[in-house]
Amino acid sequence: MRFIACIAFLTSFSSGNAVNPEGAILKSSDKNIELSTSFEKVKAGPLDRLKTSIGTWKSGAGKVLVDNKHSKTGKHCLQLTGGEECTVLLEVSGTIEVPCELTFWAERWTSRDPFSFRISANLGKGWKQIYDGDNAIRVGRSFLTQVKVPLPVGTRQLRFSCTSPPDKGILIDDVQIAPAQPQEITGVEVLPLSLPALAGNETSALLKLRIQTKGQQNPISLTGLHATLAGTTNPSDILSLQVRQSTSEGRFLSSKLIALLDAGKPGDKPFVFSFPEHACLLAEGTNHIWISCRLNTKANIDHRVGVKCRKITFSNGKTIQPRHAPSIQRMGVAVRNGGDDGVHTYRIPGLATTNKGTLIGVYDIRRRSGGDLPGDIDVGMSRSTDGGRTWEPMKVIMDMG
């Protein structure tokens, strides 16, 4: 792993020193100078104390290792091995005097509980927690989580703490500290999407929009979406249109509703979603915005439903007119949804047609969780005699006890 800490200075200085005579770093009058330090040349094994250009790393409670078997880049990374408490302290060379951002890549090294990961800052008046990563750090190789934490002005020390089952903990790589940058939009794109819109579901995705940004300071909001129901066979099939924003909540991806529109009014005419201030703030990196719908339960599933995005407006005054073909989806029926009949999850569907044209659908009834065996799993069946438009009540055809 490469453990990199880069600091850009904004003061005029002619010497090669990283810290100015007042002992402060990142003063607003400094020039841009980037310093970096790496664990690549550090011997793998327990870490006790390491002096770098940006400060001194000290092992605190528990066992802290330089790991030469895993990394985001290079060959080394830092591991806080967990246990009741494992900490590493960074004493910054000076004091941060302009808004800065701490970034690094992390990997949770266990799926077992308990697990906690916190970062605290010392501004000279005691420790203050600035990051809670208990549910944010993902399990899995390749360092799936990029952490970005605003650093308070006046920060002198940073403390990384981890609690987990012994000898597990968290891996950290490519750490960077740099001045916070004003947010800007770097890309807007309508992505290809092919998902059936299901009658019976509260929401079905029609169009997926990707917005790329960089910088966290003064975040930008989405303020409006202008669209049409291009490619839709019959607008009356749609009860409502929605805009949803994907958000990362720990190891899970969810979406929040930020706008709702009665689709009966626009018909096949252009319609506009307008968002209240800060209702759809953009995060640094990748943001996904979805236009979705709720279908009439009596909609003809031989129809199609589609959307074309005409214009996107943002709080910084920027307007984008994306060029894309209409995003058109087939329609279908949600035969079984999680929660139906008190069942947690339905999985592994199979479909067959009899000689008389009857559709036979079979599936796992995973009563208590979505996991595989061992578990309380039965096999269910549903029948349709009208080509899938309506379905008989579920029957349990194999009760596994």
Side-chain angles (χ1 to χ4, degrees):
M1 158 298 245
R2 229 174 18 161
F3 193 97
I4 303 177
C6 305
I7 295 189
F9 291 82
L10 304 177
T11 47
S12 66
F13 89 72
S14 56
S15 72
N17 296 326
V19 183
N20 67 25
E22 292 82 9
I25 63 174
L26 298 168
K27 290 189 68 176
S28 59
S29 59
D30 290 347
K31 292 181 179 178
N32 288 329
I33 297 177
E34 185 176 275
L35 302 178
S36 65
T37 183
S38 170
F39 281 157
E40 286 304 300
K41 297 182 180 180
V42 180
K43 183 179 179 181
L47 175 69
D48 179 36
R49 180 186 178 94
L50 178 66
K51 189 173 183 179
T52 68
S53 59
I54 66 167
T56 301
W57 300 88
K58 297 180 180 178
S59 178
K63 182 169 61 175
V64 180
L65 302 174
V66 175
D67 182 336
N68 63 351
K69 296 180 180 178
H70 310 93
S71 64
K72 177 66 176 179
T73 59
K75 296 182 179 180
H76 290 178
C77 74
L78 189 71
Q79 181 180 9
L80 280 67
T81 61
E84 291 187 4
E85 184 181 27
C86 186
T87 62
V88 65
L89 181 73
L90 171 62
E91 293 186 353
V92 180
S93 297
T95 303
I96 293 175
E97 292 200 355
V98 297
C100 289
E101 182 181 68
L102 167 72
T103 64
F104 58 92
W105 290 91
E107 179 177 337
R108 178 171 166 173
W109 198 238
T110 177
S111 59
R112 294 162 51 201
D113 291 325
F115 177 85
S116 71
F117 176 64
R118 311 287 175 88
I119 302 174
S120 300
N122 185 357
L123 284 67
K125 299 180 181 179
W127 291 100
K128 177 183 178 182
Q129 183 176 300
I130 59 173
Y131 178 72
D132 180 345
D134 293 5
N135 297 312
I137 310 301
R138 298 170 62 187
V139 179
R141 292 185 179 271
S142 302
F143 291 75
L144 299 175
T145 305
Q146 186 178 31
V147 178
K148 299 184 179 185
V149 185
L151 293 182
V153 172
T155 296
R156 299 180 181 182
Q157 297 174 309
L158 293 173
R159 183 176 64 200
F160 303 78
S161 304
C162 181
T163 299
S164 79
D167 298 317
K168 299 298 182 180
I170 188 172
L171 306 179
I172 297 174
D173 200 356
D174 292 352
V175 177
Q176 182 180 45
I177 299 176
Q181 299 294 324
Q183 190 173 86
E184 61 177 297
I185 297 169
T186 58
V188 178
E189 183 182 8
V190 176
L191 299 178
L193 180 67
S194 182
L195 288 173
L198 301 179
N201 275 7
E202 290 296 314
T203 181
S204 294
L206 301 179
L207 180 143
K208 184 178 183 180
L209 182 67
R210 180 170 62 195
I211 303 173
Q212 299 282 133
T213 71
K214 66 178 182 180
Q216 286 189 321
Q217 206 171 28
N218 304 321
I220 299 168
S221 295
L222 185 67
T223 58
L225 280 177
H226 300 240
T228 60
L229 292 176
T232 297
T233 307
N234 185 355
S236 64
D237 288 334
I238 302 173
L239 294 179
S240 65
L241 290 162
Q242 310 148 18
V243 173
R244 293 180 174 270
Q245 180 181 21
S246 291
T247 56
S248 178
E249 297 179 357
R251 288 169 285 162
F252 306 97
L253 189 68
S254 64
S255 65
K256 65 177 182 179
L257 178 67
I258 56 175
L260 180 68
L261 184 68
D262 179 359
K265 295 179 181 178
D268 57 359
K269 298 178 181 178
F271 55 91
V272 179
F273 288 101
S274 297
F275 312 117
E277 187 176 4
H278 305 311
C280 190
L281 283 173
L282 302 178
E284 183 178 20
T286 301
N287 299 263
H288 287 128
I289 307 296
W290 307 77
I291 297 181
S292 304
C293 75
R294 182 184 177 194
L295 292 178
N296 190 321
T297 55
K298 297 182 180 180
N300 185 338
I301 61 174
D302 291 331
H303 289 173
R304 300 289 189 271
V305 58
V307 168
K308 183 173 177 63
C309 184
R310 301 287 185 179
K311 185 168 67 173
I312 309 162
T313 59
F314 300 92
S315 60
N316 64 351
K318 190 171 185 177
T319 297
I320 300 291
Q321 294 178 316
R323 295 182 179 180
H324 71 101
S327 180
I328 303 173
Q329 312 304 329
R330 299 180 64 182
M331 293 167 60
V333 174
V335 179
R336 294 272 92 189
N337 283 312
D340 290 350
D341 295 320
V343 173
H344 184 279
T345 302
Y346 296 92
R347 289 194 62 192
I348 322 298
L351 186 66
T353 306
T354 70
N355 291 336
K356 294 183 179 181
T358 300
L359 294 178
I360 306 292
V362 295
Y363 39 82
D364 280 4
I365 305 173
R366 302 195 175 193
R367 296 190 178 276
R368 298 177 185 171
S369 74
D372 296 326
L373 292 171
D376 187 358
I377 302 176
D378 297 332
V379 178
M381 179 189 75
S382 295
R383 297 174 72 251
S384 173
T385 58
D386 58 4
R389 289 169 174 78
T390 60
W391 292 80
E392 297 174 1
M394 176 184 73
K395 293 181 180 179
V396 178
I397 58 174
M398 291 183 68
D399 189 333
M400 307 304 290

